[in-house]
């Protein structure tokens, strides 16, 4: 109790850091599953935590710090995706224009034949993450929070900011899509 | 329950999020529908795969770098001063207490005694009224005076009384 009081009277950054340390595994897990990429996840966490620190005055002591951070993380993620420059998608079948103006067939490197990718493919984590990335963001977030972080429907609804009924249907549709995506790896 | 309707409820059924009635309807449907039973198993498997998925590990220096950035940021900025839920609740409670104190500590305001307004009665009217009463009940005045004397002070009104009796 004295520790809690001492911590609460401490500098905000000290209190904030202590709370982040307590939840760092969950924060990393959600960021990684949301982004599907380590570098991107780490950038997302740092941006989220700076945002969260700025808004730390709004955090209600005694409530779940991790859920509060997830809500900020989700908004930050959506902003990052929106900010991301639109990429031009070329057909792999189309040829490539050379400097001389000639069109030559495109050389495609098959990364799936590389040993480390093969190793990753053998473990199921790769396909699961791949399947998660195939989900629209609103389904992915709900699946991550409910099925990986094991939050209740009500808690997910608060993080995402939608009714519980919407969480229920998004989770059902998300799982159905995942099942289809994982069919080639797992016998259901 | 129709197969399609039941299928929409299966995820919530697996999570134990249906009401008792809804869960009973799903169970009844599952008892006679093999396809939906298989769907339940598949949902359980997908959920199990996600729950059992490996915990990703950050790059070794990630958290140390992150805390260092946070501390640098914290040295230059403080969280925005906003009235959080607790703060606003605190202010509301304080305001309520102050109001209650004002109400309870203020001495009750006694209602001012009604000021007697001096009646202005015409003496002639009084004399005329008295004369009328006396004519109707000749002994009443004497009785009233005697009663007053026994109760209050001993003013000898014997002469008056005698006069009255005359």
């Amino acid at each position: 109790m004295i520790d809690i009081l001492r911590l609460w009277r401490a500098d905000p950054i000290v209190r904030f850091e202590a709370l982040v340390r307590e939840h760092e595994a969950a924060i990393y897990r959600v960021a990684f599953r949301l982004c599907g990429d380590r570098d991107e996840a780490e950038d997302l966490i740092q941006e989220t935590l700076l945002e969260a620190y700025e808004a730390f005055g709004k955090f209600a002591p005694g409530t779940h710090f991790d859920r509060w951070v997830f809500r900020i993380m989700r908004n930050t993620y959506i902003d990052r995706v929106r900010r991301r420059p639109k990429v031009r998608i070329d057909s792999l079948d189309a040829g490539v224009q050379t400097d001389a103006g000639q069109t030559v067939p495109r050389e495609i490197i098959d990364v799936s034949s590389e040993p480390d990718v093969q190793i990753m493919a053998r473990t199921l984590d790769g396909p699961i993450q791949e399947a998660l990335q195939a989900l629209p963001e609103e389904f992915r977030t709900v699946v991550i929070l409910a099925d990986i972080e094991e939050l209740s429907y009500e808690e997910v609804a608060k993080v995402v900011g939608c009714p519980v009924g919407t969480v229920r249907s998004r989770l059902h549709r998300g799982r159905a899509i995942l099942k289809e995506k994982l069919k080639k790896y797992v016998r259901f | 329950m129709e197969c399609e309707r039941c299928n929409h409820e299966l995820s919530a059924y697996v999570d134990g999020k249906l009401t008792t009635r809804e869960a009973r309807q799903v169970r009844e449907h599952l008892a006679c529908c093999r396809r939906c039973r298989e769907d339940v198993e598949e949902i359980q498997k997908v959920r199990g795969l996600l729950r059992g998925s490996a915990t990703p590990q950050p790059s070794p220096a990630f958290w140390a770098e992150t805390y260092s950035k946070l501390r640098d940021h914290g040295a230059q900025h403080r969280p925005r001063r906003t009235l959080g839920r607790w703060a606003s609740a605190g202010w509301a409670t304080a305001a309520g207490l102050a109001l209650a104190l004002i109400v309870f500590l203020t001495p009750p305001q006694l209602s001012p005694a009604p000021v007697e307004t001096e009646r202005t009665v015409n003496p002639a009217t009084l004399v005329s009224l008295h004369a009328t009463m006396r004519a109707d009940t000749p002994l009443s005045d004497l009785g009233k005076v005697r009663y007053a004397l026994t109760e209050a002070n001993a003013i000898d009104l014997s002469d008056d009384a005698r006069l009255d009796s005359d």
Side-chain angles (χ1 to χ4, degrees):
Chain A
M1 186 67 188
I2 292 165
D3 283 349
I4 294 170
L5 282 174
R6 193 179 299 145
L7 187 63
W8 193 246
R9 287 170 61 186
D11 195 74
I13 194 68
V14 176
R15 280 185 277 141
F16 186 77
E17 191 179 319
L19 287 165
V20 174
R21 280 184 190 278
E22 201 180 317
H23 299 284
E24 62 183 32
I27 290 171
Y28 193 85
R29 210 162 38 230
V30 171
F32 182 84
R33 293 299 179 195
L34 207 51
C35 300
D37 176 87
R38 188 198 257 186
D39 291 341
E40 213 179 312
E42 294 181 357
D43 287 348
L44 174 65
I45 291 173
Q46 290 186 345
E47 195 177 335
T48 299
L49 292 180
L50 292 181
E51 290 271 338
Y53 177 69
E54 290 281 317
F56 194 42
K58 287 182 191 170
F59 172 67
T63 58
H64 293 286
F65 181 75
D66 54 348
R67 275 73 162 159
W68 183 71
V69 171
F70 294 159
R71 191 160 62 232
I72 297 169
M73 183 184 283
R74 194 224 173 193
N75 293 335
T76 310
Y77 176 76
I78 292 170
D79 286 347
R80 285 172 66 87
V81 171
R82 280 186 193 144
R83 284 203 305 263
R84 204 177 284 165
K86 301 271 185 294
V87 290
R88 195 163 61 99
I89 298 166
D90 290 336
S91 166
L92 293 175
D93 297 329
V96 181
Q97 197 90 13
T98 62
D99 292 340
Q102 287 177 315
T103 303
V104 294
R106 186 186 297 262
E107 271 186 50
I108 301 166
I109 302 161
D110 184 8
V111 290
S112 65
S113 61
E114 287 178 9
D116 57 341
V117 178
Q118 283 178 346
I119 291 164
M120 189 188 76
R122 271 185 231 124
T123 67
L124 213 54
D125 201 54
I128 289 172
Q129 189 57 48
E130 201 179 292
L132 276 171
Q133 289 309 118
L135 293 178
E137 180 279 324
E138 59 266 34
F139 293 175
R140 195 185 329 142
T141 306
V142 167
V143 168
I144 291 168
L145 295 175
D147 280 347
I148 297 178
E149 292 307 312
E150 303 188 28
L151 265 62
S152 70
Y153 284 18
E154 290 76 13
E155 287 173 323
V156 176
K158 274 186 194 165
V159 171
V160 177
C162 70
V164 174
T166 309
V167 169
R168 196 160 131 170
S169 63
R170 281 183 189 173
L171 187 59
H172 180 70
R173 291 175 65 190
R175 283 171 177 170
I177 298 170
L178 284 178
K179 186 187 78 183
E180 289 304 313
K181 297 281 175 192
L182 291 170
K183 253 182 182 169
K184 54 185 169 183
Y185 304 103
V186 186
R187 180 180 289 179
F188 284 106
Chain B
M1 187 181 247
E2 288 169 24
C3 207
E4 198 181 339
R5 202 186 126 214
C6 177
N7 201 275
H8 283 291
E9 308 284 12
L10 290 183
S11 254
Y13 174 75
V14 167
D15 293 333
K17 292 286 177 185
L18 294 181
T19 63
T20 313
R21 190 171 165 224
E22 288 170 333
R24 198 190 63 238
Q25 287 174 335
V26 170
R27 270 197 303 274
E28 283 167 5
H29 178 79
L30 290 177
C32 57
C33 179
R34 195 169 62 93
R35 210 189 90 195
C36 283
R37 278 202 304 277
E38 284 171 1
D39 281 347
V40 166
E41 280 176 26
E42 288 169 1
I43 290 167
Q44 284 170 334
K45 272 187 190 166
V46 169
R47 197 179 64 161
L49 280 173
L50 290 166
R51 289 196 177 169
S53 60
T55 299
Q57 293 302 316
S59 45
F62 171 68
W63 282 112
E65 266 174 32
T66 303
Y67 292 127
S68 168
K69 275 187 186 175
L70 270 175
R71 274 180 233 129
D72 288 348
H73 185 80
Q76 290 163 9
H77 304 86
R78 288 187 73 83
R80 283 190 292 268
R81 294 173 79 80
T82 47
L83 284 180
R85 257 182 261 168
W86 287 108
S88 45
W91 279 112
T93 312
L97 281 172
L99 190 66
L101 276 174
I102 290 168
V103 169
F104 287 110
L105 295 182
T106 307
Q109 193 79 28
L110 294 175
S111 53
V115 178
E116 283 283 329
T117 51
E118 206 171 324
R119 287 181 192 166
T120 51
V121 183
N122 187 355
T125 314
L126 276 177
V127 170
S128 130
L129 196 64
H130 186 73
T132 314
M133 281 185 68
R134 208 183 144 103
D136 291 345
T137 52
L139 294 177
S140 67
D141 261 10
L142 186 62
K144 280 176 193 168
V145 169
R146 278 185 184 149
Y147 177 77
L149 285 173
T150 52
E151 288 289 310
N153 44 35
I155 299 169
D156 189 4
L157 290 175
S158 53
D159 285 342
D160 290 346
R162 197 172 53 246
L163 283 171
D164 266 347
S165 63
D166 290 344

